Amino acid sequence: MPIQNAIEIHNLSFCFEKKPVLEGINLSFARGKFHTIIGPNGSGKTTLLRMLARALEVNKGMITVNGVDLKTIRPKNLARQLAVVPQDSTWEFDFSVLDVVLMGRTPYLSRFATEGEADLAAARQAMEMTDTWRLRERSIISLSGGERQRVLVARAIAQQTGIIILDEPVSHLDLHHQITLLKQVRELNRRKEITVLAVLHDLNLAAAFSDRLIVMAQGRVYCQGRPEEVLKPEMIRKVFGVEVAIIPNPETGRSYVLPKL
Ligand code: ADP
């Protein structure tokens, strides 16, 4: 039996007001792997993730999640399979941090039910992993961008799905929290075989944590593969317009990108 991919994208295209933003995307995300999408601003990364999260409708091509057409999956059922950490979101209501993380448990509650002990335990574990338990009584509005980002990751972890999608999850974090958070996501990925799909801007973090990189440029998949196959000076020159040298990280052997400044 072939291994079923967690997500498959077949011939997907998307336009905003007739302007093509994604064109002919074909991608497979293997179960239990850590995938990172890289690419310059405006290359369609967020649009692709928003389609996976069903925030934008697929009208050309197809996406399957665990082998089922995304369009046919009921919202609650989808939320048990796939959690999304959006780019920094705006909060208009004054929820406590704990309430925000408990929202991750909604797909498991029957109508009108409130969270039980198991839900609180799942939330607490996710919050301890992301260093947000101590913020639990704070208002989400009062947090810094980096704290809020960690809370949104905690909510996704508390959702206990087989797939986690993260859109620039470390963009507001300091170096310590960037590395800690990505290590924890990788730990979940390795220990529980959670499929991870992230957008990262930092090519060195992408190289350090990912099993596979997907490079997007101008709405298309430019190339993909293992980090050491993908990260080449010529690719970075063509896609990002930057001259770099690539050396093996002396500690890990993973590719390390050094811009020629
Ligand atoms: P990335 O995440 O790679 O920076 P995006 O997916 O955000 O790229 O954007 C891809 C293209 O789609 C950009 O040219 C952007 O201006 C355009 N775009 C994104 N959102 C909208 C929108 N709501 N309306 C019109 N154009 C949009």
Side-chain angles (χ1 to χ4, degrees):
M1 264 244 317
I3 301 167
Q4 192 194 49
N5 290 310
I7 297 176
E8 287 186 1
I9 300 175
H10 302 280
N11 207 16
L12 183 75
S13 297
F14 188 78
C15 293
F16 274 121
E17 290 147 12
K18 298 198 178 143
K19 179 181 150 223
V21 173
L22 296 175
E23 286 187 84
I25 305 282
N26 288 293
L27 284 171
S28 298
F29 299 103
R31 194 176 305 288
K33 299 282 183 211
F34 195 127
H35 312 262
T36 300
I37 304 179
I38 58 175
N41 295 141
S43 55
K45 305 180 297 295
T46 293
T47 304
L48 182 63
L49 295 197
R50 291 183 70 205
M51 298 193 86
L52 294 172
R54 231 165 33 187
L56 292 170
E57 199 188 341
V58 174
N59 41 36
K60 186 153 186 295
M62 183 162 82
I63 297 175
T64 65
V65 174
N66 293 320
V68 178
D69 184 346
L70 180 62
K71 279 188 169 175
T72 68
I73 305 175
R74 287 173 186 274
K76 202 166 179 173
N77 188 352
L78 183 63
R80 289 179 187 172
Q81 299 180 60
L82 179 154
V84 181
V85 179
Q87 268 181 39
D88 202 10
S89 41
T90 46
W91 292 86
E92 288 168 9
F93 298 105
D94 202 12
F95 293 112
S96 75
V97 166
L98 180 59
D99 282 342
V100 170
V101 177
L102 281 170
M103 286 173 195
R105 302 301 301 165
T106 312
Y108 300 99
L109 302 179
S110 54
R111 247 218 265 192
F112 309 124
T114 51
E115 302 88 4
E117 262 174 45
D119 300 304
L120 189 60
R124 180 171 183 156
Q125 193 185 24
M127 293 173 84
E128 282 174 348
M129 283 178 70
T130 51
D131 187 24
T132 53
W133 179 245
R134 62 193 168 80
L135 303 172
R136 63 191 175 280
E137 286 172 9
R138 292 267 301 275
S139 148
I140 187 79
I141 297 172
S142 75
L143 301 187
S144 73
E147 289 167 337
R148 210 159 41 234
Q149 216 161 22
R150 285 171 10 236
V151 172
L152 294 178
V153 173
R155 182 179 68 179
I157 294 172
Q159 210 172 317
Q160 293 179 334
T161 55
I163 305 171
I164 294 189
I165 293 179
L166 308 109
D167 194 356
E168 296 181 34
V170 297
S171 55
H172 294 291
L173 302 189
D174 60 57
L175 188 59
H176 167 77
H177 281 111
Q178 283 187 358
I179 292 170
T180 311
L181 192 135
L182 287 173
K183 275 189 175 167
Q184 272 156 348
V185 172
R186 188 176 58 185
E187 168 78 10
L188 278 176
N189 155 255
R190 296 270 159 86
R191 203 159 35 84
K192 300 197 171 170
E193 293 204 320
I194 290 175
T195 308
V196 175
L197 172 50
V199 167
L200 293 176
H201 275 303
D202 186 318
L203 302 182
N204 291 321
L205 289 177
F209 287 97
S210 314
D211 297 309
R212 291 189 73 76
L213 295 186
I214 297 107
V215 182
M216 295 209 38
Q218 298 180 341
R220 295 176 181 273
V221 175
Y222 182 87
C223 62
Q224 57 178 312
R226 286 180 306 173
E228 63 275 19
E229 294 169 340
V230 165
L231 291 174
K232 302 279 184 203
E234 192 192 351
M235 181 282 284
I236 294 178
R237 184 186 319 117
K238 284 194 172 148
V239 172
F240 292 92
V242 176
E243 293 294 332
V244 300
I246 296 187
I247 57 167
N249 180 320
E251 291 293 322
T252 62
R254 295 247 175 180
S255 299
Y256 198 84
V257 179
L258 277 173
K260 293 183 183 169
L261 299 174

